[in-house]
Amino acid sequence: MATSMLRAELLLVAGCLATGFLAAAAYELLLLFRLLLPHGKLLTGIGDVLFFGLAALASYETIYRLGDGIVRYYAALALAGGAFLWIKIAVSVQKRLQKRRYRRKMKQAKGAAAQTERTNGKEASSS
């Protein structure tokens, strides 16, 4: 009996972590959509209200279904933990991509500088 209760609680935490993770990922996609297709404050507000309404419904559904109708504080913490996990992963990937882009840019700048130096060296020797 205790094992099945523990299993149910772990399932609740796992479900809430996944829901929080997916909600944060979905909001990131909404932000990306806004960057690609800018729109006014009214549409942004409507999009936010719809998103947070759907995220709240998904969170409630997860807690209600997996928690047998009893709202537990650690379920809310697990939702926040899942969102935090997404943010940490997204920031880490973003930093890695920025480093890669910076290195590529520096490599191209060095190549361009070397090419200019060679070109200038030939012009100076032929004069």
Side-chain angles (χ1 to χ4, degrees), residues 76-93:
L77 290 174
L79 284 165
F84 183 74
L85 182 64
W86 169 263
I87 291 167
K88 289 303 258 184
I89 290 171
V91 167
S92 173
V93 168

Side-chain angles (χ1 to χ4, degrees), residues 32-116:
L32 182 62
F33 175 73
R34 286 184 190 159
L35 283 175
L36 295 174
L37 206 77
H39 42 276
K41 290 181 181 181
L42 179 65
L43 287 177
T44 300
I46 291 171
D48 278 347
V49 167
L50 286 174
F51 171 79
F52 286 109
L54 289 173
L57 283 173
S59 300
Y60 176 76
E61 179 73 16
T62 301
I63 291 172
Y64 185 76
R65 293 270 183 210
L66 297 177
D68 293 329
I70 302 169
V71 178
R72 296 173 174 89
Y73 71 92
Y74 57 86
L77 290 174
L79 284 165
F84 183 74
L85 182 64
W86 169 263
I87 291 167
K88 289 303 258 184
I89 290 171
V91 167
S92 173
V93 168
Q94 185 180 13
K95 283 182 180 180
R96 232 179 275 145
L97 289 173
Q98 284 176 342
K99 278 183 186 179
R100 187 176 292 163
R101 191 179 309 140
Y102 177 76
R103 286 183 187 143
R104 190 177 300 138
K105 195 177 207 180
M106 294 307 292
K107 195 174 187 180
Q108 288 173 349
K110 281 183 183 180
Q115 181 66 29
T116 304

Side-chain angles (χ1 to χ4, degrees), residues 110-120 122:
K110 281 183 183 180
Q115 181 66 29
T116 304
E117 194 174 295
R118 278 185 256 140
T119 305
N120 289 341
K122 288 180 184 177

